[in-house]
Amino acid sequence: MEAEQGKEGWFIYGFVARGTVVLAEYTEYTGNFPAIAAQCLQKLPSSDKLSTYACDGHAFIFLVHSGYAYCVVTKDTVTRNVSIAFLERLKTDFTKRYGGGKADTATAKSLNKEFSPVIKEHMRYIIDHLDEIDKLIKIKVQVSEVKNVMLENINKTMERGEKLNDLQDKATDLQQEAQGFRKQGTKLRKRMWLQNMKIKLVVLAILLILVLIIWVSVCHGFNCTKQNN
């Protein structure tokens, strides 16, 4: 796969396709890029996704969105973020122009005349505004990092909340168990008190009987001694 060196040589080929039908394309180079890109197009997932294929020192990057595929072919030295910035611009412009319109029924290459120059313009814009785009990419990365940190903190907070709920549930269970123990302890103390009272009453009764027996014995002995005298 060979291509003539262009002005910058970054963006080699780009197109927009509905499913596997290429509606508009643009390139300034000769080569078999369209054929290889078409083969990659057959392998793309139907769901919205960003996919990258490498071939002979070139990157074939596809952005699938709402049934349409946006493709750019670059040298593998071009940073992926720059290619993604181009594809996002291409997607936004195409959706604005044709969303819900004739692109849904357009035949192969039928939008080439009107949209091929637009693809070229977006390639030129990216090359002419690399510094600006690089800054925007860095800002997006920073925003994404902050977002991830916030989400991580939220998840940790939610996990802590769940753990606190677990501790609260355990504390409630312990409190209920303690109340149960207190009730059982109160019943046990009452039962022991009753048993102690019964024992005391029995002992008291025995003592009274012994005292009575002793008193009767003493009285009987006294009477016997008196009669003998």
Side-chain angles (χ1 to χ4, degrees), residues 78-96:
V78 177
T79 60
R80 193 165 183 262
N81 286 335
V82 171
S83 299
I84 293 173
F86 165 75
L87 292 175
E88 288 289 349
R89 286 183 61 86
L90 191 64
K91 179 198 72 176
T92 300
D93 194 340
F94 187 84
T95 302
K96 184 178 180 180

Side-chain angles (χ1 to χ4, degrees), residues 99-160:
K102 62 181 181 180
D104 292 343
T105 57
T107 58
K109 309 290 180 67
S110 61
L111 300 180
N112 217 35
K113 183 177 180 180
E114 55 189 273
F115 199 72
S116 180
V118 177
I119 298 175
K120 179 182 179 180
E121 288 176 7
H122 286 305
M123 289 180 176
R124 172 54 56 188
Y125 179 89
I126 295 295
I127 293 173
D128 292 341
H129 297 80
L130 287 178
D131 292 339
E132 177 185 343
I133 290 171
D134 186 57
K135 291 179 182 178
L136 289 174
I137 290 172
K138 288 180 179 179
I139 292 173
K140 286 184 177 180
V141 170
Q142 291 175 352
V143 170
S144 179
E145 290 176 350
V146 171
K147 179 181 176 182
N148 291 334
V149 170
M150 291 179 64
L151 290 174
E152 184 178 355
N153 290 334
I154 290 173
N155 290 332
K156 289 181 178 179
T157 301
M158 292 178 66
E159 289 177 359
R160 284 198 297 269

Side-chain angles (χ1 to χ4, degrees), residues 5-6 17 21 47 118 129 148 153 173 181-182 196 202 213:
Q5 183 66 32
V21 179
S47 58
V118 177
H129 297 80
N148 291 334
N153 290 334
D173 293 340
F181 286 140
R182 281 197 295 269
N196 288 334
V202 170
I213 292 171

Side-chain angles (χ1 to χ4, degrees), residues 10-11 16 20 25 30-31 36 38 47 52 56 76 104 112 116 129 139 145 147 151 159 175 187-188 205 215 229:
W10 277 27
F11 297 110
V16 179
T20 58
E25 63 181 356
T30 58
I36 296 175
S47 58
T52 302
D56 194 20
D76 56 9
D104 292 343
N112 217 35
S116 180
H129 297 80
I139 292 173
E145 290 176 350
K147 179 181 176 182
L151 290 174
E159 289 177 359
Q175 184 178 5
K187 292 180 180 178
L188 182 60
W215 183 77
N229 291 334

Side-chain angles (χ1 to χ4, degrees), residues 65-85:
H65 179 76
S66 299
Y68 287 86
Y70 305 87
C71 172
V72 64
V73 179
T74 69
K75 287 186 173 297
D76 56 9
T77 54
V78 177
T79 60
R80 193 165 183 262
N81 286 335
V82 171
S83 299
I84 293 173

